[in-house]
Amino acid sequence: MRINDPFPVNPDQIPVNLAVQAYNGCNCRCLMCAYKETHIHEKHEGMAFELFCKIIDELIDAGSLASVALSLQCEALLDKGLFQKIAYVKKQSATITCALSTNALLLTPDMLTKLTDCGLDHIGVSLNAVSTETFETVYGVPGFDVYSTHVQHLLENRPAHMSISFNAMLIKENIKELLPKKQKLFTAISEHGIPLTMGPIGNHCGSLSEYEKHVVLPHLQGSTRKGYCHDIFESVYILYNGDVIGCCSDFRRKHVLGSVKKDTVIDIWNSDRYAQRRQEMLHADLSGLDPCCQCSQARNIMQNRGDDE
């Protein structure tokens, strides 16, 4: 195995980032997301507030929690208990950053006001189309006019305490439209000084069956420029039902590490199974790990390491 630099991670550190599936559902069927293939097998409901509080309290007591994201494999704005959850985090610790990502179709002016009032610190907005036709193709639902209206309102009424970012996932169906960055939405985002990132899609640990049909620039996938996936060393991912998964892209729940309904978050994090997975990520041939063995980013990671030689 060839690695040029030492890994800048501590395999035994306590998780500092929490990603929670506030609601197990989404209102879109995006081409680049495995949700459109897995949602029919899932029960759609929000994480129980009591369970959410248990998770937050345990990580705060551990003294490590720095951020909470409420958008794990979901559209968080569908969660009827979302405002209560955000307010609880901010009440427990004003220093914890609370964030969510959204497709903006539900980000009405009233929704933005409520998110502001409960203390949300950051909104990340997907920007995967800038025309009606491409929007319907990529997102799998109509609504570009609604999307544009909500984004414009967000830009013009940005709360003073709240940061905003936009993220574009490049695929064959939108790359020619997005890369020039000449449309009105790009101009408005730039004028407001809002950061915009672009990047290729991954295959969601093999869960996205038509990945090869849509992917562009696969060598630029986020983790592939390193020799490992860093999230498993600093983040914990918890589904609406309390199951802990080791990867945010594991849509098919191939590697469940425990349940916070049965054990504490820290006990699961410190378990032999979780510790072994972190060590495997650092030192093992990822082609032998599930779900890593089916992950497009893992393939590129091993090429960077030289495992394929």
Side-chain angles (χ1 to χ4, degrees):
M1 181 171 67
R2 181 186 68 242
I3 300 174
N4 296 325
D5 301 310
F7 295 102
V9 295
N10 175 4
D12 300 316
Q13 73 178 23
I14 298 175
V16 295
N17 304 315
L18 167 67
V20 167
Q21 189 176 48
Y23 182 85
N24 187 28
C26 185
N27 53 343
C28 289
R29 303 292 183 268
C30 298
L31 291 179
M32 71 285 288
C33 183
Y35 174 78
K36 69 180 184 297
E37 302 179 39
T38 62
H39 76 279
I40 59 174
H41 306 294
E42 301 289 344
K43 183 178 181 180
H44 297 157
E45 60 181 287
M47 176 180 282
F49 182 65
E50 294 76 13
L51 180 61
F52 179 81
C53 294
K54 174 184 183 293
I55 295 167
I56 298 299
D57 291 347
E58 288 174 1
L59 286 172
I60 289 178
D61 288 346
S64 64
L65 190 59
S67 72
V68 177
L70 295 137
S71 307
L72 178 61
Q73 299 180 2
C74 73
E75 172 52 63
L77 300 187
L78 287 167
D79 180 22
K80 295 181 180 179
L82 180 65
F83 312 125
Q84 187 182 23
K85 292 183 174 82
I86 296 170
Y88 185 81
V89 173
K90 301 308 296 184
K91 180 180 178 181
Q92 300 307 106
S93 175
T95 63
I96 296 174
T97 299
C98 198
L100 61 81
S101 299
T102 178
N103 56 45
L105 287 176
L106 299 176
L107 191 58
T108 63
D110 180 61
M111 176 69 76
L112 180 59
T113 297
K114 290 178 179 178
L115 291 172
T116 303
D117 291 345
C118 65
L120 186 70
D121 296 297
H122 178 80
I123 292 180
V125 181
S126 65
L127 178 57
N128 299 318
V130 286
S131 70
T132 298
E133 181 179 359
T134 303
F135 188 95
E136 293 188 13
T137 298
V138 174
Y139 286 85
V141 296
F144 179 67
D145 290 342
V146 172
Y147 172 87
S148 300
T149 299
H150 291 171
V151 167
Q152 193 63 45
H153 178 81
L154 174 65
L155 294 174
E156 294 174 354
N157 298 273
R158 173 181 175 177
H161 77 278
M162 188 183 295
S163 61
I164 303 170
S165 64
F166 285 81
N167 179 59
M169 301 301 296
L170 299 174
I171 55 177
K172 291 177 181 177
E173 290 78 4
N174 67 14
I175 189 169
K176 292 182 179 179
E177 180 173 286
L178 295 183
L179 271 187
K181 299 183 182 180
K182 295 180 180 179
Q183 293 79 7
K184 291 181 179 179
L185 275 178
F186 286 112
T187 301
I189 292 169
S190 177
E191 289 176 346
H192 285 83
I194 306 298
L196 166 66
T197 59
M198 288 188 171
I201 62 170
N203 71 351
H204 290 173
C205 298
S207 297
L208 184 60
S209 63
E210 294 188 332
Y211 165 75
E212 298 292 346
K213 177 181 177 180
H214 304 300
V215 68
V216 293
L217 308 173
H219 61 289
L220 297 180
Q221 291 175 6
S223 294
T224 64
R225 293 188 292 274
K226 309 183 183 89
Y228 62 96
C229 289
H230 66 90
D231 286 351
I232 196 171
F233 302 100
E234 58 192 38
S235 304
V236 61
Y237 302 101
I238 306 180
L239 301 177
Y240 79 104
N241 63 357
D243 285 350
V244 178
I245 53 177
C247 175
C248 62
S249 292
D250 186 7
F251 274 77
R252 297 191 187 276
R253 323 302 190 237
K254 296 176 181 178
H255 196 249
V256 177
L257 293 158
S259 171
V260 294
K261 287 184 177 180
K262 301 176 181 179
D263 300 295
T264 69
V265 182
I266 298 302
D267 283 345
I268 295 172
W269 180 267
N270 290 330
S271 67
D272 291 342
R273 188 179 185 190
Y274 218 140
Q276 178 182 0
R277 178 47 57 106
R278 292 193 291 272
Q279 291 294 336
E280 288 171 338
M281 178 57 66
L282 285 177
H283 303 296
D285 178 354
L286 301 182
S287 64
L289 301 180
D290 194 16
C292 303
C293 59
Q294 300 180 57
C295 175
S296 58
Q297 298 196 56
R299 290 198 294 267
N300 286 340
I301 285 172
M302 287 187 289
Q303 289 178 1
N304 287 354
R305 287 180 171 185
D307 289 0
D308 58 338
E309 296 181 355

